[in-house]
Amino acid sequence: MEILKNVILAVHIIGVASLLGGILVQLTAQRSGAARIIPAIVHGAWTMLVTGVILVGMQYPLGREPDNLKITVKLLILVGIIVIVLVNRKRETLARWVLPTLAVLTTANVVIATVWRQYA
């Protein structure tokens, strides 16, 4: 079960890389006004959601109690990312705030995942 968890965690990290990588690629295109929501951004966000839910669900069979407040905050940020992505994915040109907001929200999710520790 631990090996499966680690494989899913690796796929989760690949989703983060896809999302953030797609955003960074499009930041250079934003200068010319050609920035778009590319498939890497969409697929990265959905991958993060699906694998994140699986990872939280796997904590119980492994005998661990997840930090529900941390998971809720991360989920709310990810839902915000997905909403922004879905609303803007069909647009030919993006508003200037979209990509920086996605980058900040994604980075915040990574920071929360790595820095937020449950102390008892």
Side-chain angles (χ1 to χ4, degrees):
M1 188 71 131
E2 192 71 31
I3 293 171
L4 179 61
K5 182 194 77 104
N6 288 335
V7 169
I8 294 170
L9 179 61
V11 175
H12 187 71
I13 293 170
I14 291 168
V16 174
S18 175
L19 175 62
L20 197 54
I23 292 167
L24 293 175
V25 165
Q26 289 302 299
L27 280 175
T28 58
Q30 189 170 21
R31 294 187 187 120
S32 64
R36 297 184 43 105
I37 299 294
I38 60 175
I41 296 172
V42 178
H43 296 302
W46 284 114
T47 301
M48 286 175 59
L49 179 64
V50 171
T51 57
V53 168
I54 292 170
L55 285 169
V56 171
M58 290 182 73
Q59 294 304 309
Y60 297 103
L62 290 172
R64 299 186 188 124
E65 183 70 29
D67 184 348
N68 290 322
L69 180 59
K70 174 182 174 179
I71 299 304
T72 301
V73 170
K74 287 178 57 57
L75 179 63
L76 288 173
I77 291 171
L78 185 55
V79 167
I81 290 170
I82 290 172
V83 167
I84 293 170
V85 166
L86 292 178
V87 166
N88 290 286
R89 74 179 171 174
K90 299 283 185 182
R91 298 198 175 160
E92 289 296 319
T93 57
L94 295 177
R96 296 197 63 76
W97 63 269
V98 172
L99 290 175
T101 302
L102 290 174
V104 167
L105 290 174
T106 303
T107 304
N109 237 355
V110 170
V111 169
I112 290 169
T114 56
V115 175
W116 186 325
R117 296 282 180 233
Q118 185 175 12
Y119 297 104

